[in-house]
Amino acid sequence: MEYIKLSSLVNDKFTVQKVWGFKYKTWDDLNKKMLVSETPEKGFRKMYELDTDKGKLEVSQSQMGSMLEVASVNGLSAVVDNTFLVKSNGKTGMDIRYMFRAVEAEKTVTNEETGKEIPEEDVDISDL
């Protein structure tokens, strides 16, 4: 599965298929590589790895919290099998901020003649 950046999903949506847990990460500018730790360390950020319908995606602890918040229904929340729309504040680099909105899954109906799925909202009830 290919890695994707959250910035490439702005004004698009993705569906979370699996959450692999988290690791602590920081960028080592001197050696030009990402350092990874299983335990918290000074200067490291908690990052979650997700499998999505668009590829593998890493989100920060605060981004995961935002996703859980917008997916909350009556105090219960899960990101797996939920679809999220991504927006940004329009900035780049360290100043960019991402916002998430939970998107209700599109309901489909299977056309008996063709076997194809079509959005439920496109079904003309008078044809039934």
Side-chain angles (χ1 to χ4, degrees):
M1 191 175 271
E2 183 178 315
Y3 276 89
I4 55 169
K5 292 183 178 184
L6 195 53
S7 60
S8 70
L9 294 173
V10 172
N11 296 320
D12 197 359
K13 57 188 175 183
F14 66 93
T15 302
V16 177
Q17 298 168 330
K18 183 173 177 97
V19 177
W20 288 98
F22 61 86
K23 292 189 172 27
Y24 297 91
K25 297 185 174 191
T26 192
W27 178 251
D28 179 357
D29 204 35
L30 183 65
N31 295 308
K32 304 288 186 222
K33 67 178 186 175
M34 187 66 71
L35 302 178
V36 180
S37 174
E38 297 292 326
T39 59
E41 294 185 37
K42 185 177 180 177
F44 283 61
R45 296 176 13 163
K46 186 186 268 189
M47 300 294 291
Y48 289 84
E49 185 175 299
L50 314 175
D51 283 352
T52 74
D53 61 330
K54 304 285 173 90
K56 285 199 175 288
L57 176 66
E58 280 193 341
V59 296
S60 69
Q61 180 178 6
S62 64
Q63 291 164 343
M64 177 62 91
S66 293
M67 291 167 59
L68 285 164
E69 181 180 11
V70 299
S72 177
V73 176
N74 297 325
L76 299 174
S77 186
V79 294
V80 175
D81 294 329
N82 268 313
T83 300
F84 298 91
L85 176 66
V86 183
K87 295 286 185 179
S88 81
N89 61 357
K91 298 185 179 181
T92 59
M94 296 295 288
D95 296 325
I96 194 166
R97 298 292 176 266
Y98 298 100
M99 288 75 66
F100 301 95
R101 184 168 56 91
V103 178
E104 192 171 319
E106 185 178 85
K107 295 177 183 172
T108 60
V109 175
T110 303
N111 182 316
E112 291 180 14
E113 292 174 13
T114 64
K116 292 184 179 180
E117 290 190 354
I118 54 175
E120 191 175 77
E121 61 195 34
D122 292 344
V123 175
D124 185 352
I125 199 158
S126 64
D127 290 341
L128 298 177

